[in-house]
mmCIF file of all heavy atoms in Angstrom:
data_model
loop_
_atom_site.group_PDB
_atom_site.id
_atom_site.type_symbol
_atom_site.label_atom_id
_atom_site.label_comp_id
_atom_site.label_asym_id
_atom_site.label_seq_id
_atom_site.Cartn_x
_atom_site.Cartn_y
_atom_site.Cartn_z
ATOM 1 N N ALA Y 65 7.347 15.390 -15.367
ATOM 2 C CA ALA Y 65 8.789 15.966 -14.911
ATOM 3 C C ALA Y 65 9.612 16.313 -15.975
ATOM 4 O O ALA Y 65 10.513 17.161 -15.804
ATOM 5 C CB ALA Y 65 9.289 14.982 -13.856
ATOM 6 N N LEU Y 70 15.215 19.108 -12.569
ATOM 7 C CA LEU Y 70 15.320 17.898 -11.900
ATOM 8 C C LEU Y 70 16.637 17.711 -11.146
ATOM 9 O O LEU Y 70 17.140 16.553 -10.810
ATOM 10 C CB LEU Y 70 15.137 16.643 -12.829
ATOM 11 C CG LEU Y 70 13.782 16.657 -13.599
ATOM 12 C CD1 LEU Y 70 13.769 15.547 -14.605
ATOM 13 C CD2 LEU Y 70 12.635 16.487 -12.575
ATOM 14 N N GLY Y 75 16.193 13.839 -2.214
ATOM 15 C CA GLY Y 75 14.814 13.821 -2.659
ATOM 16 C C GLY Y 75 14.122 12.645 -2.118
ATOM 17 O O GLY Y 75 14.638 11.660 -1.564
ATOM 18 N N HIS Y 89 -4.332 14.476 -8.865
ATOM 19 C CA HIS Y 89 -3.075 15.170 -8.779
ATOM 20 C C HIS Y 89 -2.878 15.815 -7.310
ATOM 21 O O HIS Y 89 -1.861 15.691 -6.675
ATOM 22 C CB HIS Y 89 -2.953 16.213 -9.871
ATOM 23 C CG HIS Y 89 -1.686 17.022 -9.774
ATOM 24 N ND1 HIS Y 89 -1.577 18.225 -8.982
ATOM 25 C CD2 HIS Y 89 -0.527 16.955 -10.481
ATOM 26 C CE1 HIS Y 89 -0.412 18.721 -9.173
ATOM 27 N NE2 HIS Y 89 0.257 17.959 -9.971
ATOM 28 N N ASN Y 91 -4.226 14.990 -4.505
ATOM 29 C CA ASN Y 91 -4.068 14.133 -3.325
ATOM 30 C C ASN Y 91 -2.786 13.240 -3.506
ATOM 31 O O ASN Y 91 -2.412 12.568 -2.501
ATOM 32 C CB ASN Y 91 -5.275 13.182 -3.261
ATOM 33 C CG ASN Y 91 -6.506 13.990 -2.738
ATOM 34 O OD1 ASN Y 91 -6.361 14.866 -2.164
ATOM 35 N ND2 ASN Y 91 -7.659 13.536 -3.164
ATOM 36 N N ALA Y 114 -8.504 13.960 11.298
ATOM 37 C CA ALA Y 114 -9.636 14.990 11.398
ATOM 38 C C ALA Y 114 -9.460 15.912 12.498
ATOM 39 O O ALA Y 114 -9.659 17.121 12.397
ATOM 40 C CB ALA Y 114 -10.951 14.282 11.385
ATOM 41 N N ASN Y 173 13.266 22.448 3.070
ATOM 42 C CA ASN Y 173 14.184 23.080 2.171
ATOM 43 C C ASN Y 173 15.055 24.023 3.045
ATOM 44 O O ASN Y 173 16.086 24.570 2.357
ATOM 45 C CB ASN Y 173 13.503 23.753 1.003
ATOM 46 C CG ASN Y 173 12.680 25.019 1.442
ATOM 47 O OD1 ASN Y 173 12.545 25.224 2.585
ATOM 48 N ND2 ASN Y 173 12.172 25.738 0.455
ATOM 49 N N LYS Y 184 5.828 3.422 11.793
ATOM 50 C CA LYS Y 184 5.174 2.724 12.887
ATOM 51 C C LYS Y 184 4.041 1.966 12.137
ATOM 52 O O LYS Y 184 3.131 2.591 11.496
ATOM 53 C CB LYS Y 184 4.429 3.779 13.800
ATOM 54 C CG LYS Y 184 3.793 3.094 15.013
ATOM 55 C CD LYS Y 184 3.165 4.108 15.930
ATOM 56 C CE LYS Y 184 1.956 3.463 16.624
ATOM 57 N NZ LYS Y 184 0.812 4.444 16.705
ATOM 58 N N GLY Y 193 25.068 3.278 1.740
ATOM 59 C CA GLY Y 193 26.054 3.225 0.648
ATOM 60 C C GLY Y 193 27.374 4.035 1.166
ATOM 61 O O GLY Y 193 27.528 4.213 2.312
ATOM 62 N N LEU Y 199 16.354 5.232 1.107
ATOM 63 C CA LEU Y 199 15.183 4.796 1.970
ATOM 64 C C LEU Y 199 14.224 4.086 1.041
ATOM 65 O O LEU Y 199 14.084 4.420 -0.193
ATOM 66 C CB LEU Y 199 14.430 6.072 2.555
ATOM 67 C CG LEU Y 199 15.170 6.720 3.698
ATOM 68 C CD1 LEU Y 199 14.818 8.172 3.738
ATOM 69 C CD2 LEU Y 199 14.972 6.006 5.002
ATOM 70 N N ILE Y 214 19.673 -1.234 6.942
ATOM 71 C CA ILE Y 214 19.199 -1.128 8.349
ATOM 72 C C ILE Y 214 17.682 -1.192 8.385
ATOM 73 O O ILE Y 214 16.937 -0.491 7.680
ATOM 74 C CB ILE Y 214 19.661 0.227 8.932
ATOM 75 C CG1 ILE Y 214 21.180 0.414 8.856
ATOM 76 C CG2 ILE Y 214 19.200 0.309 10.461
ATOM 77 C CD1 ILE Y 214 21.598 1.822 9.152
ATOM 78 N N ASP Y 218 9.498 -0.468 14.687
ATOM 79 C CA ASP Y 218 8.258 0.295 14.884
ATOM 80 C C ASP Y 218 8.568 1.420 15.885
ATOM 81 O O ASP Y 218 9.119 1.232 16.947
ATOM 82 C CB ASP Y 218 7.137 -0.583 15.388
ATOM 83 C CG ASP Y 218 6.082 -0.757 14.423
ATOM 84 O OD1 ASP Y 218 6.380 -0.364 13.246
ATOM 85 O OD2 ASP Y 218 5.040 -1.462 14.731
ATOM 86 N N GLU Y 255 13.780 -8.415 -11.983
ATOM 87 C CA GLU Y 255 13.514 -8.049 -13.487
ATOM 88 C C GLU Y 255 12.590 -9.241 -13.975
ATOM 89 O O GLU Y 255 12.428 -10.232 -13.419
ATOM 90 C CB GLU Y 255 14.759 -8.125 -14.176
ATOM 91 C CG GLU Y 255 15.932 -7.223 -13.674
ATOM 92 C CD GLU Y 255 15.614 -5.697 -14.066
ATOM 93 O OE1 GLU Y 255 14.714 -5.470 -14.930
ATOM 94 O OE2 GLU Y 255 16.315 -4.782 -13.484
ATOM 95 N N SER Y 338 -8.192 -10.777 9.634
ATOM 96 C CA SER Y 338 -9.083 -9.588 9.887
ATOM 97 C C SER Y 338 -10.252 -9.938 10.926
ATOM 98 O O SER Y 338 -10.773 -8.970 11.578
ATOM 99 C CB SER Y 338 -9.645 -9.074 8.628
ATOM 100 O OG SER Y 338 -10.261 -10.055 7.897
ATOM 101 N N VAL Y 346 -10.785 -17.636 21.562
ATOM 102 C CA VAL Y 346 -10.325 -18.189 22.779
ATOM 103 C C VAL Y 346 -9.050 -18.942 22.471
ATOM 104 O O VAL Y 346 -8.876 -19.859 21.666
ATOM 105 C CB VAL Y 346 -11.424 -19.253 23.287
ATOM 106 C CG1 VAL Y 346 -10.911 -20.018 24.476
ATOM 107 C CG2 VAL Y 346 -12.705 -18.579 23.461
ATOM 108 N N CYS Y 383 6.834 -16.894 6.131
ATOM 109 C CA CYS Y 383 6.841 -15.659 5.536
ATOM 110 C C CYS Y 383 7.914 -15.696 4.352
ATOM 111 O O CYS Y 383 8.915 -16.494 4.398
ATOM 112 C CB CYS Y 383 7.316 -14.579 6.569
ATOM 113 S SG CYS Y 383 7.235 -12.947 5.988
ATOM 114 N N SER Y 394 6.975 -12.240 15.428
ATOM 115 C CA SER Y 394 6.659 -13.717 15.761
ATOM 116 C C SER Y 394 7.782 -14.207 16.765
ATOM 117 O O SER Y 394 8.872 -13.674 16.833
ATOM 118 C CB SER Y 394 6.602 -14.487 14.531
ATOM 119 O OG SER Y 394 5.794 -13.886 13.589
ATOM 120 N N VAL Y 526 -17.863 -24.308 -15.129
ATOM 121 C CA VAL Y 526 -17.336 -24.813 -13.843
ATOM 122 C C VAL Y 526 -15.981 -25.422 -14.076
ATOM 123 O O VAL Y 526 -15.731 -26.191 -14.902
ATOM 124 C CB VAL Y 526 -18.287 -25.906 -13.367
ATOM 125 C CG1 VAL Y 526 -17.732 -26.461 -12.009
ATOM 126 C CG2 VAL Y 526 -19.724 -25.302 -13.061
ATOM 127 N N PRO Y 589 -1.949 -25.180 -13.193
ATOM 128 C CA PRO Y 589 -2.805 -24.899 -14.234
ATOM 129 C C PRO Y 589 -3.783 -23.761 -14.020
ATOM 130 O O PRO Y 589 -4.148 -23.030 -14.908
ATOM 131 C CB PRO Y 589 -3.460 -26.199 -14.607
ATOM 132 C CG PRO Y 589 -3.015 -27.169 -13.521
ATOM 133 C CD PRO Y 589 -1.997 -26.550 -12.685
#
Side-chain angles (χ1 to χ4, degrees):
L70 300 176
H89 178 275
N91 291 333
N173 69 354
K184 186 181 152 219
L199 287 154
I214 303 170
D218 250 7
E255 305 284 347
S338 52
V346 178
C383 191
S394 309
V526 176

